[in-house]
Amino acid sequence: MSGTDLLKVEDVTVSISGRVILRDVNFRIDQGEFTGLIGSNGAGKTTLLRVILGMQEVASGRVTVRGQALTRSNRSIGYVPQKVLFEADLPIRVRDFVALGVDGHRYGVARRSRATLGLVDEMLHAVEAAEFSDRRIGSLSGGEQQRVLIAHALVSRPELLLLDEPLANLDPGNAQEIIQLLHSVATGQHVAILLSAHEMNPLLPVMDRVVYVANAQVASGTTDEVIRPDVLSTLYGHHVDVLRVHGRILVVAGENVDVGHVVPEHPPFVVE
């Protein structure tokens, strides 16, 4: 960790249609850190990512990147959205789709420079997608498409990469491959990762920091600092126990508390 605040979120409150979605949110991300944005469905994770992207207005607070006010055109931030559906017969090759991350904002058709083509090849190798770079993107599996989306976001050389539930539709094997791939990107290219998920356990080996969202509020820090009974009980407003079993974390709460995979009839349940 560099100790430099790449991203700083200060006292951010968001209200949508009169409902408070996020309240007094504070956290920071340093260069090259891998941060898990953890919370149940509907907790406000996507809203927070939209705030960082400059796509969601805030009622109060501010977001800065390298100490500068956030702008929607900030190329220091890359983004992989939650759902991207490619038609099976979409006539665009993988390498051409990745190249759009460099020149997709330009009008007209221009011959791509050798530098751009070289950068595309570099990113395809970085995400281990070079072997299917000439295939149509719609013909790829979900895990392969996720690699291509990551390459597309990385090709503009962002310092921070935001990913909205990238593991949601992947089987455990593909999910682990994507996690390890992102960890390699963070360490090898010094790109900070902010990955939203409702399952925490798969991220434990690689997370430097966790931003835990619940009850419109956030607790942030290392896993040991945040995933504790006192911190989570304050966050939820109910008593919460934290158990560590065989390298996994179980968050145990009463029936009225929504903590990830809730099975009210059969507590305890697991925040994975």
Side-chain angles (χ1 to χ4, degrees), residues 118-139:
L119 184 56
V120 168
D121 283 338
E122 180 185 346
M123 290 303 107
L124 287 169
H125 279 91
V127 301
E128 301 175 5
E131 64 183 64
F132 47 83
S133 61
D134 289 318
R135 288 172 55 188
R136 286 182 291 106
I137 192 168
S139 71

Side-chain angles (χ1 to χ4, degrees), residues 70-215:
L70 188 68
T71 63
R72 290 192 65 168
S73 60
N74 194 321
R75 294 182 67 82
S76 295
I77 303 177
Y79 177 55
V80 178
Q82 182 175 5
K83 294 180 181 179
V84 178
L85 299 177
F86 297 105
E87 296 292 336
D89 58 352
L90 183 66
I92 182 171
R93 293 186 308 168
V94 165
R95 63 171 60 255
D96 294 327
F97 177 79
V98 172
L100 291 175
V102 177
D103 55 24
H105 62 288
R106 299 173 186 167
Y107 290 102
V109 178
R111 185 180 180 86
R112 288 182 171 125
S113 69
R114 183 175 299 177
T116 295
L117 296 176
L119 184 56
V120 168
D121 283 338
E122 180 185 346
M123 290 303 107
L124 287 169
H125 279 91
V127 301
E128 301 175 5
E131 64 183 64
F132 47 83
S133 61
D134 289 318
R135 288 172 55 188
R136 286 182 291 106
I137 192 168
S139 71
L140 303 181
S141 69
E144 290 169 339
Q145 288 185 358
Q146 197 64 258
R147 291 172 185 269
V148 175
L149 289 168
I150 294 168
H152 174 270
L154 288 173
V155 77
S156 60
R157 295 290 194 190
E159 293 185 89
L160 172 65
L161 179 61
L162 310 181
L163 301 104
D164 192 0
E165 296 278 4
L167 313 177
N169 298 314
L170 302 180
D171 60 59
N174 274 320
Q176 280 300 321
E177 288 182 5
I178 293 298
I179 291 168
Q180 291 304 317
L181 172 68
L182 290 168
H183 182 244
S184 297
V185 167
T187 56
Q189 301 192 30
H190 306 290
V191 176
I193 304 289
L194 179 60
L195 184 155
S196 79
H198 62 275
E199 299 181 358
M200 179 170 54
N201 279 308
L203 301 176
L204 291 178
V206 301
M207 280 197 308
D208 297 302
R209 190 187 304 271
V210 59
V211 176
Y212 198 108
V213 188
N215 196 27

